[in-house]
Amino acid sequence: MSDTPVVRILRRVPLPFWVAWAVLLTYLAAGRIVRNFFPVSVFDMYQARADDVSTRILFLNDAGESTRLSSWSQFQCEPAHPDFAEVTNQCGFDFRPIPYVARDQQRYFDAHQQELSEGEAVRIVARAYWLSDVEGRPLHRDCELARCQATRAQ
Amino acid sequence: MTKKSRVWSSYWDGYPRAFLRRSLFAMSTFEFAGQAYQIARMAGDHQHYEATGSLSHALAPFPLFAWVLFAVLLVGLLLVVTDRAPVWGGIGALLVMSFMSLWQTEIAGSPSRNSFFVGAALLGWTLGQGWAQRIGGEASSIASRERLAEAGTLGALAAAYVASALSKLLSTGLEWTNPSQIRSLVLAQEPVADWAWLALYRETLLASPDLARGAAAATLIVEGGALLLLFGPRLRLVWAALIFGMHVNIILLCTMPYIEPMFFMLTFAVPWPFILRMKRIDEPELTPRIPREMAAVLIGIVILAACLSPFGWRAFNGDHPHHDDHSSHHH
């Protein structure tokens, strides 16, 4: 390199700085081109504008309190095999749970089904929330998927 | 001895970086043992997961092949952690990881971005090592190689967060800070536990559009500001803490455990040499230089990305374009 002022300034910048920024720029450029190909990614999860309706599958107890599916360890339900992938078909277009979340919940549900002689009465519902710019809890509507006897996880 | 620079320095300057190398090995091993387990389980569970591409179809009868891949990967990682062949070991490990990622993506429907953080870190480490090797002379000592490897890793990790912020801004602009963005995600995911204080925190966020808007803006600032990881150690520590805090919130509210980048923030930004009272070592001064081969490698990565572009996984290819990852419930 000829000894121009720019080169003299660049020479004062430590080599690790060059390396870090060269890797950063390469990774960013490659990512914008290929989008997601290991190990390069644009990390575009949840990049699009969110819907104003959001749905999740959850358990409701007799008092109407909502809990996570994983708060319960054993279920016996009617219908015995609710299909969480069919929630939108069953409940309507507003009820659209995130597919991978519903699939993980289905796996959990399927793995914990068994005959129970006693347990708490609970309902599995798909709950759709409507979001707005108004202060306060989002309004919601439930669509029942199954009625169950269930025991709590320890 | 290394001179202090105003532009770049690290708590690790003048100290051995074996801790960083072992941390990278430990997280890579942990992550891809988990990946192998997930692939083997999903490939054998035809009730919940279906093969969607030629790779997953071909390997459908052999779910345990995922563990064979992991064993090969482990050889590459061992070459890195023992410093026997840090560059070729890293390249080999990245190739096997890439194959596992393709297989996992075909079965699960979307890639596990958790593992991409590990891949990015290993890529940065390997590029830094290669850079020092190409310069040769004193730069090829382990102290100098790992000094550049640390820099490369930080560059790749910063790029991951900046890429995430850019994706959001290029997709929706500042509209991403709308009050539904964060609340929609929180409502669609399960909180990590049924704790009363967490329920209160969640309710407060859900009931306040202004708070939700602020949380979305803070997300963009923390992610985009990851560039600040690439200057001095104090600024790096502060920004790593902010990134760490962002992930803690995501875990609490959405059960999406991005423990990989959290681990790297802890290992690369915290002043461990002082905390662990490490012994100082001599570190040769390095002349700033881009070896021609390294310039070719970096440009080659971008060209390779262009060639692989048709095979890269893209968001917006499902019914729910804003929900395109499967990172929760991973570990």
Side-chain angles (χ1 to χ4, degrees):
Chain A
M1 279 192 287
S2 59
D3 215 15
T4 63
V6 174
V7 170
R8 277 201 297 274
I9 290 169
L10 285 176
R11 276 196 182 139
R12 276 190 219 146
V13 177
L15 183 55
F17 184 84
W18 289 41
V19 173
W21 282 83
V23 171
L24 173 121
L25 294 173
T26 303
Y27 193 95
L28 285 177
R32 291 313 309 173
I33 294 169
V34 76
R35 309 292 293 186
N36 297 286
F37 194 101
F38 191 94
V40 174
S41 174
V42 278
F43 294 92
D44 46 2
M45 310 83 90
Y46 306 101
Q47 64 173 8
R49 196 202 185 284
D51 286 341
D52 290 326
V53 183
S54 188
T55 302
R56 186 158 63 93
I57 296 165
L58 43 83
F59 266 113
L60 292 182
N61 65 12
D62 262 353
E65 293 164 343
S66 64
T67 53
R68 300 169 304 136
L69 252 66
S70 52
S71 300
W72 304 85
S73 61
Q74 297 167 318
F75 336 111
Q76 183 179 5
C77 299
E78 181 55 44
H81 302 286
D83 187 348
F84 298 164
E86 289 297 313
V87 164
T88 307
N89 290 336
Q90 188 180 332
C91 302
F93 183 71
D94 283 334
F95 292 82
R96 300 191 303 281
I98 299 177
Y100 75 83
V101 176
R103 187 180 58 196
D104 284 350
Q105 290 181 316
Q106 183 83 59
R107 272 195 53 242
Y108 184 84
F109 179 86
D110 292 349
H112 292 79
Q113 277 199 101
Q114 60 184 85
E115 287 196 11
L116 290 176
S117 54
E118 57 181 22
E120 289 182 52
V122 293
R123 293 187 300 141
I124 301 178
V125 301
R127 175 168 285 183
Y129 297 89
W130 277 263
L131 295 161
S132 73
D133 284 357
V134 180
E135 290 275 334
R137 285 210 89 239
L139 299 173
H140 68 260
R141 191 152 60 86
D142 291 340
C143 170
E144 185 174 293
L145 304 176
R147 285 175 180 267
C148 314
Q149 294 286 312
T151 58
R152 284 187 185 270
Q154 294 303 309
Chain B
M1 292 283 282
T2 310
K3 277 188 280 183
K4 278 266 178 200
S5 160
R6 282 185 200 163
V7 184
W8 169 281
S9 57
S10 160
Y11 288 129
W12 292 93
D13 289 342
Y15 293 93
R17 290 173 171 83
F19 178 91
L20 297 180
R21 186 189 342 127
R22 289 177 192 139
S23 301
L24 183 59
F25 171 79
M27 181 44 79
S28 303
T29 306
F30 169 77
E31 177 67 24
F32 279 85
Q35 180 100 280
Y37 170 78
Q38 294 266 351
I39 293 172
R41 181 180 61 74
M42 290 190 296
D45 180 358
H46 304 295
Q47 186 189 343
H48 299 108
Y49 303 92
E50 57 176 322
T52 59
S54 51
L55 184 64
S56 51
H57 273 294
L59 292 172
F62 315 107
L64 293 181
F65 183 64
W67 286 107
V68 177
L69 289 172
F70 176 70
V72 177
L73 165 61
L74 205 51
V75 174
L77 291 175
L78 283 169
L79 292 173
V80 175
V81 75
T82 57
D83 200 45
R84 288 189 173 208
V87 174
W88 288 110
I91 292 170
L94 284 166
L95 287 173
V96 180
M97 287 173 172
S98 183
F99 188 85
M100 291 174 77
S101 174
L102 283 173
W103 190 5
Q104 179 273 333
T105 302
E106 284 192 10
I107 309 170
S110 61
S112 160
R113 311 304 168 83
N114 299 59
S115 67
F116 278 66
F117 279 102
V118 177
L122 183 59
L123 176 68
W125 183 271
T126 307
L127 286 172
Q129 286 269 2
W131 194 311
Q133 276 191 3
R134 293 320 305 167
I135 291 176
E138 281 196 314
S140 56
S141 68
I142 186 166
S144 297
R145 280 190 285 110
E146 295 197 335
R147 190 169 168 223
L148 298 194
E150 178 203 10
T153 307
L154 284 167
L157 290 171
Y161 285 101
V162 174
S164 181
L166 273 178
S167 291
K168 295 176 177 83
L169 289 172
L170 292 173
S171 170
T172 49
L174 290 176
E175 170 59 14
W176 201 84
T177 60
N178 73 78
S180 294
Q181 200 71 39
I182 297 285
R183 292 188 299 165
S184 171
L185 178 59
V186 170
L187 284 168
Q189 302 274 0
E190 296 201 314
V192 76
D194 291 325
W195 302 321
W197 67 266
L198 179 57
L200 181 64
Y201 173 36
R202 197 167 171 274
E203 290 298 316
T204 306
L205 179 69
L206 293 175
S208 170
D210 288 340
L211 195 58
R213 200 190 303 271
T219 303
L220 284 179
I221 291 167
V222 170
E223 288 187 344
L227 287 174
L228 299 176
L229 291 170
L230 305 186
F231 293 92
R234 287 192 199 108
L235 197 51
R236 184 173 305 136
L237 181 59
V238 168
W239 219 263
L242 289 175
I243 291 173
F244 196 91
M246 177 181 76
H247 283 301
V248 168
N249 274 282
I250 295 171
I251 290 174
L252 288 172
L253 295 167
C254 304
T255 322
M256 295 165 79
Y258 279 90
I259 57 169
E260 302 80 358
M262 293 171 79
F263 176 82
F264 289 133
M265 290 302 123
L266 272 182
T267 49
F268 280 76
V270 171
W272 293 112
F274 308 126
I275 294 169
L276 301 176
R277 295 172 183 227
M278 292 180 177
K279 277 191 182 161
R280 288 192 71 89
I281 55 166
D282 276 340
E283 231 171 38
E285 197 59 47
L286 298 172
T287 310
R289 190 159 88 77
I290 303 181
R292 217 171 277 165
E293 299 91 331
M294 268 324 287
V297 166
L298 296 175
I299 293 167
I301 288 174
V302 178
I303 293 171
L304 184 63
C307 297
L308 292 172
S309 178
F311 309 104
W313 189 86
R314 282 166 155 70
F316 302 120
N317 57 357
D319 293 329
H320 298 260
H322 54 297
H323 300 143
D324 47 24
D325 200 28
H326 71 289
S327 306
S328 74
H329 316 280
H330 238 211
H331 298 285

